[in-house]
């Protein structure tokens, strides 16, 4: 077991972006991690992920949301669907991780905020570029003052 990290049982709901592969690799690298299932409205997209990572396919997202053994839901769904998936995960008592953007509307943000507050939920945003060569170069340029005074960075 990795320093204080208990084994994680996770599920995947939404497989429409390549960032999901990085999420799965990180989750699968955790000792004792188990995937309870992968779901997407487009079965072929979910099946491709299952085939690549040898994970189980499920035919209904409720099999993940309603599974008491699942503690985390990962999603790289169609952007417009992410808010509902994240809110559903938190309302089901699960933590969630998502690629950007987390939500695409104020209504989705407000619903997610309410769910996180009400259910003491946890949602993480996967940002991969900060560790790549370009991100490190940009960080160094900022630190060296080459880009002037940075007021905001998104």
């Amino acid at each position: 077991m990795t320093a204080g990290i208990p084994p994680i049982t996770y599920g995947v709901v939404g497989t429409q972006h390549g960032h999901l592969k990085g999420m799965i690799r990180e989750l699968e690298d955790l000792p004792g991690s188990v995937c309870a299932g992968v779901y997407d409205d487009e079965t072929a997209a979910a099946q491709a992920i299952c085939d690549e990572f040898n994970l189980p396919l499920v035919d209904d997202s409720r099999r993940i949301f309603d599974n008491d053994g699942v503690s985390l839901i990962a999603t790289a769904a169609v952007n417009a669907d992410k808010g509902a998936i994240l809110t559903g995960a938190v309302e089901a008592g699960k933590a969630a991780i998502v690629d950007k953007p987390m939500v695409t509307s104020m209504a989705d943000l407000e619903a997610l905020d309410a769910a996180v507050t009400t259910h003491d939920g946890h949602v993480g945003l996967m940002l991969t570029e900060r560790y790549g060569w370009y991100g490190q170069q940009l960080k160094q340029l900022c630190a060296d003052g080459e880009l002037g005074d940075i007021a905001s960075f998104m």
Side-chain angles (χ1 to χ4, degrees):
M1 192 160 34
T2 303
I5 300 176
I8 293 175
T9 298
Y10 70 95
V12 175
V13 179
T15 62
Q16 295 298 312
H17 195 280
H19 285 143
L20 179 65
K21 292 179 181 184
M23 286 184 218
I24 291 171
R25 282 187 201 99
E26 294 293 328
L27 289 165
E28 288 292 309
D29 281 347
L30 295 172
S33 71
V34 175
C35 180
V38 177
Y39 174 80
D40 193 287
D41 290 338
E42 286 186 29
T43 303
Q47 186 65 61
I49 291 293
C50 291
D51 291 346
E52 182 171 345
F53 291 96
N54 194 30
L55 303 174
L57 178 70
V58 297
D59 61 356
D60 187 333
S61 64
R62 298 296 343 150
R63 293 182 189 273
I64 297 169
F65 287 107
D66 295 343
N67 183 333
D68 291 336
V70 171
S71 60
L72 174 78
I73 293 178
T75 186
V78 171
N79 290 344
D81 295 344
K82 290 177 185 175
I85 292 167
L86 296 172
T87 299
V90 171
E91 288 174 344
K94 322 284 186 214
I97 187 166
V98 60
D99 67 329
K100 62 175 181 50
M102 188 175 285
V103 295
T104 58
S105 72
M106 286 304 295
D108 283 347
L109 177 60
E110 290 165 358
L112 180 57
D113 182 54
V116 167
T117 301
T118 301
H119 300 280
D120 192 29
H122 299 278
V123 178
L125 181 63
M126 183 176 181
L127 301 170
T128 58
E129 293 304 317
R130 76 176 89 189
Y131 301 110
W133 185 86
Y134 292 107
Q136 293 302 308
Q137 294 301 310
L138 182 58
K139 181 179 178 183
Q140 190 60 52
L141 288 170
C142 291
D144 293 344
E146 296 292 324
L147 302 177
D149 293 327
I150 307 295
S152 178
F153 190 84
M154 299 175 108

